[in-house]
Amino acid sequence: IASTDGPAMTVRSVTIGSSGSATASTFSATAANNLVLFTFISSLTAATILVNARKTGILRRATATPVGVPMLLAGITLGWFVLAILQSTLLIVVGSLLFGVEWGRIGPAIALVALFALVGCGAGLLVGAIGNDEDRVASITPPIGIVLGALGGCMVPLEVFPPVMRSISRFVPHSWAVDAWNQLMVHGAGWSEIGTNLLMLSGFAIAMLTISVLVMRRTLLRP
């Protein structure tokens, strides 16, 4: 006969780390990753328009107008930025209405969308400034966008990457955007939690926009 005598046992439950948001949609991770992936790819592939405008001489003729090169470059940049914003807005609205995706706090989310749109804008302008054939640009930009998206965690969570690949992913803007969306949507983060991500995306955007504008200006002013 088993004895019931002895010290009482206490069972204690401990949660390690953050449990995340209980209201996060099951589509949240996929929606955020697709937002980052396709905003970038769309900005790259749209560079075919710019390449064609350069080849046909439309942009060079536009420099002879009173608008001038600086305003022309500003207008092109604004157009690419608006394209990226519209793409992002469409995906956000569809995700919210059809799949119940909650994108986190509105202020940081808007900042994240705008900054990554600028990153895509800079990348698209750079491809448009250096590309020489629109068919070739149209064929190679989607694979490039997919590879960069994979390195940035759009296909597979960054947590499963080996240490070396995680280090490499930090050189891709996608990883900072994906991580920021994860913080916003799953953990309810705010400005302070994603501040580093926003800063890094700002750096990527400034670098690519500066390089692309300088290359485009040199191309347009070439005799």
Side-chain angles (χ1 to χ4, degrees), residues 8 18 37 39 49 56 80 92 95 98 115 118 123 125-126 132 141 146 184-185 212:
S18 173
L37 178 66
T39 296
I49 301 173
T56 56
W80 247 252
I92 288 174
L98 299 185
L115 284 175
L118 285 173
L125 289 177
L126 183 57
N132 293 319
T141 47
I146 291 173
L184 285 176
M185 300 168 69
S212 61

Side-chain angles (χ1 to χ4, degrees), residues 5 26 38 48 55 59-60 78-79 83 98 103 110 126 132 135 144 154 162 170 180 193 195 204 208 210 218 223:
D5 297 334
T26 54
F38 288 109
T48 55
K55 285 183 60 177
L59 291 182
R60 185 175 291 275
L78 179 60
L83 175 67
L98 299 185
W103 298 91
I110 290 175
L126 183 57
N132 293 319
D135 293 331
I144 291 175
C154 293
R170 287 317 197 181
E193 290 84 359
F204 279 111
M208 284 193 285
T210 301
R218 181 179 178 183

Side-chain angles (χ1 to χ4, degrees), residues 39-98:
T39 296
F40 193 84
I41 291 178
S42 296
S43 298
L44 285 184
T45 55
T48 55
I49 301 173
L50 191 56
V51 174
N52 180 265
R54 285 176 41 233
K55 285 183 60 177
T56 56
I58 294 175
L59 291 182
R60 185 175 291 275
R61 290 194 295 272
T63 60
T65 66
V67 173
V69 174
M71 288 300 296
L72 177 62
L73 293 175
I76 294 172
T77 303
L78 179 60
W80 247 252
F81 176 68
V82 170
L83 175 67
I85 287 291
L86 291 176
Q87 168 87 25
S88 302
T89 302
L90 176 63
L91 291 174
I92 288 174
V93 170
V94 171
S96 300
L97 297 181
L98 299 185

